[in-house]
Amino acid sequence: MTGHPPSTQDIETRQVTDAWTRIETWITHHAPHTRTLLLTGASPDAVTALQRQTGVRIPVSLKALWACCAGTRTDEHSTFLMGGHALMRLETVATKYSQEMSYQHRHTDDTVTWRAAWIPVFSFSADDQASGLYLDAETGRLCRWTRYAQHHPEVEYESLTDFLEEMADSLETPGLATSDRPGLVEGALVWVSRLHPDDEHLWTSLTA
């Protein structure tokens, strides 16, 4: 008897989990300081509570990521993700989402500041949500947000899987990096896009 073929959701979950495993394995071996910043994965109950609080259905790809890692601790090097983003903690996701939706509801005109399907995932830093990337639960795309009204989605990646796989590829084979370049500062993973001038003399670019 043959088993059922994997569903689209099963494939998404596996792809995200595999990509994150590659990223975390690299960090464990090469960026010990960054490894200390990673929180453990969120429980299914925690994700369900967030889903209930926001009222938006969390995509399976995001559930898979949060099951691996539920954010980062506050640190100057918490922006370890490609593009210099920090992975937001679940409580921060809930707070940011609530703030943006409240702001949207106060608008009586047609100005779009935030849509119900937009779930903030990556932010400028662990404690600064002035800008970042949100996951559109309807399209699966990762789009940019800023402190200004989001009149039209600014698509950065077609999916969370695309982002994580590109980051994993860039770490394992730095010579193939296109959108950003990874490097190390005293055991922390730092992308050149967010390299502080004070750390330039400490930064070591990764080589293929």
Side-chain angles (χ1 to χ4, degrees):
M1 180 181 295
T2 59
H4 296 291
S7 67
T8 300
Q9 292 188 341
D10 290 337
I11 293 172
E12 276 191 86
T13 297
R14 188 186 71 242
Q15 289 175 328
V16 167
T17 302
D18 288 350
W20 181 261
T21 298
R22 292 169 59 199
I23 291 169
E24 188 167 343
T25 297
W26 188 95
I27 287 173
T28 299
H29 286 93
H30 302 282
H33 179 71
T34 297
R35 183 64 185 85
T36 66
L37 303 180
L38 305 184
L39 301 180
T40 57
S43 68
D45 287 345
V47 177
T48 298
L50 176 62
Q51 186 167 263
R52 187 181 303 114
Q53 185 174 355
T54 60
V56 60
R57 182 174 175 274
I58 308 296
V60 294
S61 60
L62 189 49
K63 288 182 179 179
L65 174 58
W66 284 340
C68 295
C69 181
T72 60
R73 295 179 174 85
T74 298
D75 186 87
E76 64 176 322
H77 295 306
S78 62
T79 53
F80 73 96
L81 293 169
M82 184 172 60
H85 301 292
L87 179 60
M88 297 171 69
R89 298 184 288 269
L90 266 63
E91 62 269 23
T92 309
V93 170
T95 299
K96 177 65 177 177
Y97 184 86
S98 177
Q99 290 173 344
E100 292 294 345
M101 289 304 297
S102 295
Y103 186 71
Q104 175 66 67
H105 291 153
R106 291 198 296 272
H107 279 269
T108 57
D109 55 19
D110 293 330
T111 301
V112 175
T113 63
W114 202 267
R115 296 190 185 278
W118 296 353
I119 307 170
V121 181
F122 307 148
S123 57
F124 183 77
S125 73
D127 295 310
D128 185 343
Q129 288 79 53
S131 63
L133 299 180
Y134 65 81
L135 181 65
D136 188 328
E138 293 178 346
T139 67
R141 292 172 168 173
L142 276 177
C143 305
R144 179 168 299 281
W145 95 72
T146 67
R147 66 181 73 226
Y148 306 105
Q150 321 304 314
H151 298 291
H152 301 287
E154 185 178 338
V155 179
E156 293 284 327
Y157 294 89
E158 287 299 315
S159 70
L160 181 59
T161 298
D162 286 351
F163 175 90
L164 295 174
E165 288 182 343
E166 183 177 332
M167 178 173 171
D169 290 343
S170 296
L171 293 176
E172 294 172 348
T173 313
L176 299 179
T178 56
S179 59
D180 205 352
R181 288 193 296 120
L184 293 170
V185 174
E186 298 183 327
L189 173 58
V190 179
W191 298 80
V192 71
S193 61
R194 285 292 297 274
L195 180 61
H196 193 280
D198 292 343
D199 290 336
E200 287 181 356
H201 69 291
L202 300 173
W203 191 72
T204 303
S205 178
L206 302 180
T207 57

